[in-house]
Amino acid sequence: MTRPKLRIATTSLAGCFGCHMSFLDIDEHLFELVELVEFDRSPLTDIKHCGPCDIGLIEGGVCNAENVHVLREFRNNCKTLIAVGACAINGGLPAQRNHLELGACLREVYEFRDGLSGGQVPNDPELPLLLDKVHPIHEVVRVDYFIPGCPPSGPTIWKFLSDLIAGRTPRLTHSLMHFD
Amino acid sequence: MPGIERCVSEIVTRHGADPSQLLQILIQVQDVIGYLPADCLSLIAEALDLPRARVEGVAGFYSFLHSRPVGRYRILFSDNITDRMLGAPALMQALCSKLWVEPGKLSEDGLVSITTTSCTGMCDQGPAALINGRPVTRLDHRRINEIAELVRQQVPVSAWPAAFFNVEDNIRRRDALLASTAAPGDALRAAIRVGREGWLTEMERSRLRGRGGAGFTTAVKWKACRDADGADKVIVCNADEGEPGTFKDRVLLASHADLVFEGMTLAAWATGAQKGFMYLRGEYRYLLEHLQAVLERRRAAGLLGAGIRGQAGFDFDIDIHLGAGAYVCGEETALLESLEGKRGTPRIRPPFPVTHGYLGRPTVVNNVETLAKTTLVALEGGEAFAATGTAQSTGTKLLSVSGDCAYPGIYEYPFGVSIERVLEDCGASDAQAVQAGGASGVLIAGYEFHRRVAFEDVPTAGAFMVFDSGRDAFEIARNFVDFFAHESCGFCTPCRVGTSLLKGYMDKLASGHGAKPDLADIEWVTRLLKNASHCGLGSSAPNPVIDTLVKFRPTFERRLESLHFEPAFDLDAALATARRITGRDDAAAHLDRKKETQR
Ligand SMILES: Cc1cc2nc3c(=O)[nH]c(=O)nc-3n(C[C@H](O)[C@H](O)[C@H](O)COP(=O)(O)O)c2cc1C
Ligand code: SF4
């Protein structure tokens, strides 16, 4: 009897796609993976909205209103939601702006930068507004698991996913969480 | 800076350029200069031939050492729950606004800085503060006004009214120890009479257990030290008394110092140690002069020094070392590190201090009260001592009673006294809970007031904080969580991160963003702290939360905003700055707070 395939969705919020690249680093395990799962919304499929899924992988923290919407969409659709990598877990590099005042930060970029004259902070309604601080995703929705690393290595991601798919509580061994 | 150079070189020389004196040197240099500027640290490192990083590491560890200028008047409000209950936060706010300074910042003219500090051990006469290191008790609005005026007029603290600095003993009930009429040297005479071996036998018979928290049998510790390899044994008196709500050691040091030093000397008689240290918490520095005088008097009387009481080969003397505002330094191995002039990072045990303690030498570390109690064993004999108390907890215990009661202060009872009885004696008619043993102790609810103070039932290092029915158990736990997050030494991740996480959850609940799953997360973090921390600070840090969740759970549940998930902050408010800068107010420029996931 073949088991129905699990559905996985992935996205990058305020991240650099490094975690996704690392995901691709599972190399030949990708062949195993596509036997076990099918992809919903993901940069790999270019599906724009997430439908009901078993697993959601989130890279990056929450820096603007759109991130909040996407994250909520994932949480509403994914039975298991996973924060992947330092930015999703702690805010990471983008959160370095947290000790600056947002207004000063925007004006510095759009008004005062060398070679810019007469610039202004963009106010097009198409553009998502920035939150005053970058937040880890667990401060905005409930998160079930966390995969640490910047980025987590391919083998780490594979170990975690293969545990999850097999129904085992994921366990990362020391070597997979040892960074220095 | 020739001035600084001279000051550093003088102080370093006074300490024999001994690197193990680093903390004491830093404290004294700061006394002169006001803070510890970077080049001053370099000078000290050079003079002691230590790496600069080591000196900076020590200077950065202790909260009473400053690498930046602090006010000429440095005012620290004691932030224990008992101080808060007596109105300390409002008083601090009032003083800040009178002196035009923000809490935690230095005033622009460099005149004053005002902030909070962990419990200063004045809970029976709070709200209290330390002003340039000196305790000021019984603060009220009138006193705050007077202080503001004195600061504005720049009157030196030494010229302030003496009444401000009045610290009372508030001894409310005396038993064997506090009623002792022994003269200095009496206990020593008795112990010398039975010989070193006989004295240890008396200690064994007394079954005296440590009063500092862990309750280890004192004679076993002494014997292990005596039998350890190495002739250069050390006796350390732990006078760090950092546990919030505890102040009985303060009273012993202030009014019964002879008993404490005599206890140390008795420990030396048993173990053969020749060197003693008292580690005195920085908050009790005002007692230093008095303690030094007592030591001097004892030396003159032949109770310290070479050939004590005419006994050839019984040589012992005591130095006092100051702490500098770090609760973890009460933990015995952190204390030893600190005595050696290092950061107060707890050591890995084993080896235990009795074999490898101060500078690797066999060392006994005992609490102030434990040591004082040994004088009773010497005078009465071990069996008589063991006749009071309970089967597993012999003798009496000093309780530091504070909080919602008519007569806060020191109460000495035989072990086995019921909580009820103490509450009755201290005039606490409306108690709903008692925190026994301080922040790291146990929260006793009304239905348990029949329980007894003893190692086999309610163990306590001495704190006994009473909370009446008007108090909110959640706020009590939150105060203690703040304390642990502040005092975590940061050495191990479970405690460094765990105490901050716990604080984050408590703040989330307090600010009205609590959600049911937070309670499960809190319980998970408490387990992690308990099981994975390196020292007793981390493993007892979750106690107040665990107890409150079991015994006063509704005070948590009442704060839940949602049964599902609730973000830790207001999402829509987080867009306000961007809305203002872009001038937008369209639908996409808002986030609906309630539109949360249901999972
Ligand atoms: C975080 C922490 C703080 C402590 N603080 C003190 C203290 O302030 N005073 C004290 O006597 N013992 C304190 N202790 C207990 C000491 O480690 C040690 O057990 C005690 O000094 C031994 O003396 P005793 O056997 O006479 O009780 C503390 C322990 C921990 C884990
Ligand atoms: S448990 Fe806390 S106080 Fe103890 S070593 Fe770890 S970080 Fe330091």
Side-chain angles (χ1 to χ4, degrees), chain B residues 126-208:
Chain B
L130 290 172
I131 302 190
N132 291 358
R134 296 182 59 185
V136 177
T137 56
R138 299 191 195 282
L139 290 168
D140 54 19
H141 278 284
R142 195 167 134 207
R143 195 157 273 190
I144 289 290
N145 284 337
E146 291 170 324
I147 291 173
E149 208 41 45
L150 289 163
V151 171
R152 262 194 236 113
Q153 307 285 336
Q154 309 203 17
V155 179
V157 174
S158 54
W160 289 17
F164 283 20
F165 306 103
N166 188 27
V167 177
E168 281 161 29
D169 280 352
N170 290 328
I171 296 176
R172 310 280 185 182
R173 186 179 196 281
R174 292 176 193 270
D175 209 300
L177 185 68
L178 295 178
S180 164
T181 52
D186 284 358
L188 272 171
R189 183 189 315 118
I192 290 172
R193 193 182 322 120
V194 293
R196 293 185 195 253
E197 191 64 47
W199 165 226
L200 245 179
T201 310
E202 287 307 317
M203 279 296 293
E204 278 170 351
R205 289 198 182 120
S206 75
R207 290 181 285 127
L208 171 68

Side-chain angles (χ1 to χ4, degrees), chain B residues 328 345-346 487-492 495-496 533-539:
Chain B
V328 72
T345 303
E487 294 295 341
S488 168
C489 84
F491 173 72
C492 72
C495 168
R496 183 184 63 248
S533 295
H534 174 62
C535 87
L537 189 153
S539 57

